[in-house]
Structure formats: C-alpha cells, structure tokens
C-alpha cells in the first residue's frame, strides 16, 4: 500500500497502465532474436514520424508566433536526425537486443550523467531538449489500443509521473477508471481531468512507477489517498463492493439533473461546470449544470500540434457554446504558463518560479497578435446567442492597468470586426481573482469588470505561498485555512455590495464542506467539475442560507486549518452522512 494525496474521490479497481516508462524503467527490456528487425524498423518509422511532426510544427509556429519560438523545433529535429544518436540506439537494439524503450532509457541515463556535471544553464537546457525529444519519440511508440489487443485488460488505471494533456489525448476513448501520479496535488492537470471525468485519483505518490508495472491489478482510493496492489482475493472483493457502491450512488444522485438548484429556504443558486472540451460540455448538461462557468481554452492549445488560428478557435468556441447547457459559457482566455507550458509560445527557457513568472495574461500581452485572434474568435463565436450568456474572462489579473489594457484590446478587436463586416456580439468582460494583490484592491478593480470569478486554486497557493502541485507543502495549500476564508469572505462582500456578479470556479466549489462555507458568505454562483454538480445540488437542498451563515460564523472563530476541517467534517456528517464517500479526506 502507498499513501499519496487524495485528489478526486471514489474507489476503483483496474489494470495499471504506466505512461512514459522511458523515464523510469521500461517494462520489457529484452528482444528475441527474430524481433530485432521489426524493432529497428519501428524505430526508423517513429523517428521519421517525429521529424515530420516537428517540421510541420516549426512551419506553423514560424508563421503564427515568430522565428525565435520556431527555432527550438528545428533544433529538436536536428537531435533526431543526428547520426550519432541513431547509431547509438540502433547499435543497442541490434547488438544487445534491447527494446527501443530500453535503449532510449539507457540513452537518457548516459546523458543525464554527462549533463549533471555541467553547471552552465545553457547546457542544462539542452538536456531538457533531449528529454523532450526522447519523450516525443517514446510517446509515438506507445499505443494503448495495441496493448489492449495484445491482452491488456480494461478498465485501466493510468499511472504516470505527471499526466500531460497530450497523453490524455493519446488514450482516446479507452476506458480509464482511475489516475495515479507521482507528482502533483489537488489542482494539477491529472486531478482536474480525473474530477471532470468523475473518476478516483491519487497524486503525489512518489516512486510508485518503480513498484507497479503495466498489467498489475491495482486499487485507487481517492477518498483516503491510497493506492493498493498485490491484493488477496478477500480484499479485492471488498474493494469491488465499495467501487460498486460509489458508482451506484453517483448515478443515483445524477437523477436530480432536471431539478432546480435551490437551498432549503428556496433560494436559487447557480451550479455551473468547469470544462476543457466539448465532451465536458456535454457532461455538464448530463449532470444538470445550468451553464459553463469556466471553459479553460488552453486545453485547445495544449492538445493542438501548434497554434490554433482564429478560424479554428472560432469553430471550437462555437461548438462549445452549442454543446453547453443553456448556451451559457464563460470563456477564459489563454492561461498558459506555471505548470502548463507549450514550447511554441516561448517556453523553452526554464523559469525558477514559473507560477510567479511569465504565465497567463502576462504571456498573452506579449503575444498581441495571438491574443487579438483569441479575443476576436470569442466575440465572433458569441454572435447570435442571447446577450450576456457568453462571457469573456481574463486570468491572473493583478492590477487595474491590466484590466484597462484588456478593455482597450477588446475595443480594438471590435472595431476591426466592424470594419471587416464580420458578425460578432458585445460580451461581458470579467477578471479572475487569483492574485492576493487584486483581492486587496478588489473595490478599485471592479471599475473595469462586468463580473468576477474567483480562481481559488491559484488564490490559495499565492496567499499561502505554497505551490499547488508540490506534495511537500500541501498541508499549507488549503482552501479552508482561516486566512483564505477571511479573504474570500471579504471579496464576496465587496462584489455583492457593488452588485457585481461573482462566481467561484476553483476546485473547492465542488467540495461539500467548502460549499457550505461559501454559501454562508453569500456566494450564489458555483462552478465545478461536472461530476460534482449532482452532489452539491443535493447538499444545497439540506441547508438554508441562514444555517450556512451560522456555520460560517462558527468556523471563522477557529484559529487553525485542522480545526476548521474537523468542524466542517462534523457538519457534513450531520447534514448529509452519505456524502462523505463523495469528498476527499
Ligand atoms: C483557479 O486557479 O482556481 C482556476 C480555476 O484556474 P486554473 O485551475 O485553471 O488555474
Ligand atoms: Mg488559475
């Protein structure tokens, strides 16, 4: 058994599928004599394919972003075309009968030793490039469908160091029932993806890839944050029972999809969905959400081989709006940076503090053409829908100046569209409240905002100075810490007094214990992973706004996070005892 951080509730059993073993330990290392020829051919064709992909990427980035950003892909091609590289790998395959993955693993190992001696930052970055190239090559070799044809039993539990959006795409429509990662925390991609699919997940399980291999039967307990393997038949049977209970209970709750979201005293609240794709928009509908409170557009960029142009974005936003409940969608502009990087936007340099660095709106401002194309695509996509249903949201706003700049960019884009005779709609413009400085200046910032959305995932990490993806500091990165509660209460009060609509779209909105406190603060709009909507709708029925305000008042007298957590666990137990299985410990 291994313990990690619970990031998406529930229990499931399945077959482990380990991703990117090349960085850890390839499962199969040795080839039979007669398989050598085929392995060499596979290597050549994977290499050619990767070079072709990189060439296309380079051309597109050159045209749409710039020469400097494109250069990195030319360099990656040259690593792949390098004679010495090919000679080494094919030498090991032919001479020592190694699998490609094993040869790549050895290659990385050799280079790591070599580069670890280099103090020079430039050389360190070159090693990062080599890792990128090897991982691209290795990804083009792994084919989960083939593994299933060869006998790998689904449903799968994906085990990875970190789960990248591109890897999720590679999984396609294979049934995945759980996710385990070595890195990450409650707000990492793996966690967000798991929650959006409503499957259990545990993060921060260091070294798990050394203990589990593809094909092993494993259990993910996303409530306690536990991963189990080598189970005896009795334990397996017990977990299967729990698994069934969890999925049945969720299905049963989802039957409330057509009911309105009301508190016990009959007040209407909005339960909205956080989505990354059209499929998520459909599940928002299926789960009974009344709209989409956050569309994270970066997933379009992260899963796209290069920069999507204005037309591609327009098409994507249109399909998202069409698929969303009530055609109501808040589209967030690009939030790249931090842990989500794309090399074609100039992310080929390591930053020492990426979350505090060049990310989000800061990066968009420096790619004005790209930013403009996104703003135009959103304005155009909103045409023809009821006014105010499509909204534009800007991430990581820190200062009043930034909001003014955003407004002037939107005005400019509208002027362009008018002069080009292209149909578009005027949309409400909002900011994400994620930076403590903006929380302090909330009243002033409201001058430039039609609405506000609290990004508590980031707000909490910045307020507590505790990286949201670092398991070592996860005890500090807690949305229910007294400091966070004070800031949230104040921000919600300022917005309500000013009649500025406010939503919270961080992960805490879908946690029963946090929901009760937010309701007590006077929040009415909650945006969460679609899978949590039915739970929160049921919970809302059981509590009046006055009772929530009373619980908040009691909680705010407490001095430590653990006291708040304990108190709230007691309250949830009292209000809705069955719900504990749907929360993370
Ligand atoms: C947040 O920070 O709370 C948020 C919703 O944005 P993201 O998780 O995409 O950073
Ligand atoms: Mg954020």
């Amino acid at each position: 058994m291994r313990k990690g951080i619970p990031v998406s509730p529930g229990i499931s059993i399945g077959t482990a599928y380990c991703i990117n073993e090349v960085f850890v330990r390839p499962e199969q290392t040795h080839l039979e004599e007669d398989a050598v020829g085929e392995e060499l051919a596979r290597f050549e064709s994977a290499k050619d394919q990767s070079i072709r992909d990189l060439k296309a990427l380079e051309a597109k980035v050159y045209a749409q972003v710039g020469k400097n950003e494109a250069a990195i892909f030319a360099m990656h091609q040259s690593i792949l075309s390098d004679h010495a590289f090919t000679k080494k790998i094919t030498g090991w395959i032919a001479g020592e009968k190694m699998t490609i993955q094993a040869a790549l693993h050895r290659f990385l190992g050799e280079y790591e030793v070599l580069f670890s001696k280099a103090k020079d930052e430039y050389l360190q970055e070159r090693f990062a490039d080599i890792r990128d190239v090897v991982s691209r090559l290795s990804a083009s070799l792994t084919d989960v469908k083939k593994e299933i044809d060869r006998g790998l039993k689904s449903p799968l539990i994906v085990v990875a160091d970190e789960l990248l959006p591109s890897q999720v795409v590679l999984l396609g429509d294979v049934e995945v029932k759980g996710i385990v990662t070595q890195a990450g925390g409650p707000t990492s991609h793996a966690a967000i993806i798991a929650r959006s699919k409503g499957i259990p997940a545990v993060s921060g399980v260091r070294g798990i890839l050394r203990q589990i291999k593809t094909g092993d039967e494993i259990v993910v307990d996303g409530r306690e944050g536990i991963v189990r393997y080598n189970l005896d038949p009795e334990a397996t049977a017990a977990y299967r029972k729990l698994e069934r209970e969890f999925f049945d209970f969720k299905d049963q709750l989802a039957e409330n999809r057509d009911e309105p979201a009301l508190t016990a005293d009959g007040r209407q609240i909005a339960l909205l969905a956080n989505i990354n794709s059209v499929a998520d928009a459909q599940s928002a509908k299926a789960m009974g959400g009344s709209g989409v409170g956050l569309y994270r557009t970066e997933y379009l960029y992260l899963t796209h081989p290069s920069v999507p142009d204005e037309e591609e974005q327009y098409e994507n936003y249109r399909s998202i709006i069409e698929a969303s409940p009530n055609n109501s969608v808040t589209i967030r502009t690009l939030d790249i940076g931090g842990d989500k990087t794309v090399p074609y936007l100039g992310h080929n340099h390591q930053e020492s503090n990426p979350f505090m660095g060049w990310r989000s709106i800061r990066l968009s401002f420096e790619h004005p053409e790209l930013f403009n194309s996104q703003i135009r695509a959103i304005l155009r996509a909103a045409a023809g829908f009821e006014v105010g249903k499509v909204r534009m949201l800007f991430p990581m706003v820190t200062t009043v100046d930034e909001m003014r700049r955003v407004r002037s960019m939107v005005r400019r884009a509208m002027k362009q569209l008018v002069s080009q005779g292209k149909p578009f709609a005027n949309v409400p413009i909002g900011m994400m409240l994620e930076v403590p400085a903006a929380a302090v200046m909330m009243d002033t910032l409201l001058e430039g905002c039609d609405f506000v959305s609290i990004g508590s995932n980031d707000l909490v990490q910045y307020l507590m100075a505790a990286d949201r993806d670092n398991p070592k500091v996860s005890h500090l990165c807690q949305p229910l810490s007294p400091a966070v509660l004070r800031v949230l209460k104040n921000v919600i009060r300022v917005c309500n007094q000013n009649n500025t609509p406010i939503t919270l779209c961080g992960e805490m909105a879908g946690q029963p214990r946090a929901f009760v406190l937010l309701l007590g603060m006077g929040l009415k709009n909650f945006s969460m992973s679609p899978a949590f909507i039915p739970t929160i709708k049921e919970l809302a029925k059981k509590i009046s706004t006055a009772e929530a305000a009373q619980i908040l008042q009691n909680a705010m007298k407490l001095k430590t996070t653990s006291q708040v957590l304990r108190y709230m666990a007691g309250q949830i137990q009292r209000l809705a005892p069955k719900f504990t299985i749907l929360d993370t410990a």
Side-chain angles (χ1 to χ4, degrees):
M1 179 188 108
R2 291 293 314 277
K3 181 111 180 66
I5 304 168
V7 295
S8 180
I11 285 171
S12 64
I13 299 195
T15 315
Y17 178 65
C18 301
I19 285 188
N20 239 343
E21 294 176 301
V22 66
F23 293 129
V24 195
R25 178 202 58 185
E27 188 204 331
Q28 192 200 344
T29 54
H30 198 73
L31 288 171
E32 295 303 323
E33 181 68 52
D34 57 359
V36 168
E38 195 189 323
E39 196 75 347
L40 285 170
R42 254 173 29 100
F43 172 68
E44 286 302 332
S45 96
K47 201 177 69 172
D48 290 348
Q49 183 60 48
S50 301
I51 292 176
R52 273 198 302 277
D53 291 351
L54 283 164
K55 213 172 242 143
L57 198 54
E58 185 195 350
K60 205 156 181 194
V61 172
Y62 190 102
Q64 292 179 22
V65 188
K67 196 171 152 195
N68 292 345
E69 286 79 4
I72 180 173
F73 300 106
M75 208 256 287
H76 284 189
Q77 288 167 61
S78 67
I79 297 177
L80 281 176
S81 315
D82 182 41
H83 186 61
F85 168 70
T86 303
K87 208 169 135 199
K88 252 192 167 128
I89 303 293
T90 53
W92 287 331
I93 298 173
E96 302 187 27
K97 310 211 176 13
M98 285 176 115
T99 59
I100 307 174
Q101 296 284 8
L104 290 174
H105 181 68
R106 176 156 160 191
F107 177 82
L108 271 184
E110 280 192 359
Y111 271 73
E112 190 160 16
V113 173
L114 232 101
F115 277 87
S116 64
K117 297 192 185 103
K119 292 269 174 308
D120 188 326
E121 201 177 307
Y122 175 80
L123 283 179
Q124 300 278 4
E125 276 173 23
R126 295 296 71 80
F127 183 59
D129 287 326
I130 291 174
R131 279 178 66 98
D132 266 15
V133 170
V134 169
S135 121
R136 176 180 289 276
L137 197 62
S138 156
S140 75
L141 285 161
T142 38
D143 184 343
V144 66
K145 295 226 172 60
K146 266 198 199 135
E147 301 248 12
I148 288 173
D149 289 345
R150 277 195 224 123
L152 189 68
K153 259 200 346 220
S154 66
L156 302 181
I157 293 187
V158 173
V159 186
D161 184 35
E162 288 177 82
L163 197 58
L164 306 174
S166 53
Q167 294 167 331
V168 177
V169 172
L170 284 179
L171 288 168
D173 49 12
V174 171
E175 191 188 1
V176 173
K177 239 185 172 183
I179 296 178
V180 177
T181 60
Q182 300 196 132
T187 60
S188 63
H189 296 303
I192 287 171
I193 287 161
R195 277 192 295 257
S196 78
K197 293 187 183 301
I199 56 177
V202 179
S203 283
V205 198
R206 275 193 254 157
I208 190 77
L209 279 166
R210 293 189 186 282
Q211 277 138 1
I212 289 174
K213 60 180 189 325
T214 295
D216 289 353
E217 185 179 67
I218 64 170
V219 170
V220 184
D221 178 344
R223 213 192 90 67
E224 302 288 341
I226 289 170
V227 180
R228 284 171 172 269
Y229 42 98
N230 291 336
L231 286 186
D232 58 39
E234 286 91 76
T236 309
Y239 273 113
R240 285 212 187 280
K241 185 162 171 275
L242 280 173
E243 180 188 38
R244 246 190 333 271
E245 276 171 14
F246 166 68
F247 285 101
D248 287 352
F249 186 38
K250 266 187 24 171
D251 289 348
Q252 185 195 327
L253 280 181
E255 283 168 17
N256 68 12
R257 67 180 67 88
D258 298 324
E259 295 173 15
L262 298 172
T263 59
D265 50 334
R267 302 250 175 121
Q268 176 127 28
I269 53 172
L271 301 183
L272 310 161
N274 294 348
I275 65 161
N276 308 327
S277 63
V278 172
D280 288 351
Q282 285 154 350
S283 44
K285 241 185 206 168
M287 293 290 137
S290 58
V292 165
L294 174 67
Y295 171 39
R296 292 181 162 105
T297 57
E298 57 276 10
Y299 281 82
L300 172 64
Y301 284 67
L302 288 164
T303 54
H304 200 276
S306 63
V307 198
D309 61 24
E310 182 179 321
E311 280 318 301
E312 282 173 281
Q313 294 189 65
Y314 166 77
E315 291 297 334
N316 174 271
Y317 304 153
R318 253 345 253 198
S319 359
I320 292 275
I321 301 167
E322 275 156 13
S324 295
N326 301 309
N327 303 129
S328 161
V329 186
T330 300
I331 304 180
R332 176 174 78 182
T333 65
L334 200 54
D335 190 9
I336 288 287
D339 58 341
K340 299 176 227 166
T341 59
V342 282
Y344 57 72
L345 291 180
H347 269 124
N348 43 357
H349 293 284
Q350 293 278 332
E351 290 179 282
S352 37
N353 282 309
F355 271 115
M356 295 203 200
W358 198 49
R359 71 172 283 214
S360 221
I361 200 178
R362 303 171 181 182
L363 182 143
S364 293
F365 280 139
E366 279 194 50
H367 288 290
E369 281 316 307
L370 197 73
F371 200 12
N372 187 43
S373 78
Q374 184 168 34
I375 294 173
R376 285 170 53 108
I378 296 172
L379 293 169
R380 288 176 52 206
F385 292 102
E386 198 182 315
V387 180
K389 285 277 177 75
V390 178
R391 311 193 297 177
M392 188 160 14
L393 178 63
F394 293 90
M396 217 195 168
V397 171
T398 309
T399 65
V400 173
D401 288 338
E402 286 174 342
M403 237 16 237
R404 289 189 183 144
R405 195 164 162 195
V406 156
R407 287 229 168 238
S408 99
M409 288 193 73
V410 176
R411 276 196 301 273
R412 189 178 132 233
M414 289 201 281
K415 269 197 200 133
Q416 286 172 350
L417 292 170
V418 170
S419 69
Q420 292 164 352
K422 295 205 170 162
F424 70 94
N426 201 343
V427 301
I429 291 173
M431 63 169 269
M432 284 199 77
L433 181 85
E434 309 190 273
V435 180
V440 173
M441 297 296 284
M442 194 73 259
D443 51 342
T444 315
L445 272 156
L446 290 186
E447 290 167 14
C449 296
D450 300 321
F451 68 97
V452 172
S453 191
I454 305 177
S456 54
N457 303 340
D458 277 316
L459 182 61
V460 173
Q461 76 161 343
Y462 293 135
L463 196 63
M464 304 301 288
D467 188 329
R468 58 194 262 186
D469 290 334
N470 183 345
K472 284 243 182 231
V473 293
S474 62
H475 60 290
L476 287 167
C477 195
Q478 288 285 344
L480 293 200
S481 71
V484 172
L485 295 182
R486 281 196 197 183
V487 172
L488 290 175
K489 183 165 180 254
N490 192 48
V491 165
I492 293 169
R493 180 185 57 80
V494 173
C495 288
N496 283 346
Q497 278 174 356
N498 199 58
N499 286 323
T500 303
I502 177 162
T503 303
L504 185 140
C505 63
E507 297 307 314
M508 67 187 290
Q511 289 178 338
R513 56 191 177 215
F515 167 78
V516 171
L517 294 173
L518 293 166
L519 186 68
M521 292 178 193
L523 191 72
K524 296 183 196 72
N525 308 302
F526 304 81
S527 194
M528 61 200 76
S529 298
F532 291 108
I533 292 174
T535 312
I536 299 296
K537 203 185 268 181
E538 271 323 288
L539 181 61
K541 280 188 204 163
K542 297 179 194 293
I543 184 161
S544 70
T545 36
E547 196 183 354
Q550 184 58 55
I551 293 175
L552 174 74
Q553 210 180 61
N554 298 342
M556 293 209 48
K557 287 189 193 127
L558 303 171
K559 296 194 175 92
T560 69
T561 307
S562 48
Q563 285 170 343
V564 177
L565 286 174
R566 216 171 313 123
Y567 172 66
M568 288 313 295
Q571 293 303 311
I572 299 299
Q573 181 67 29
R574 180 177 65 79
L575 289 162
K578 273 187 90 176
F579 281 30
T580 38
I581 194 174
L582 299 171
D583 210 342
T584 43

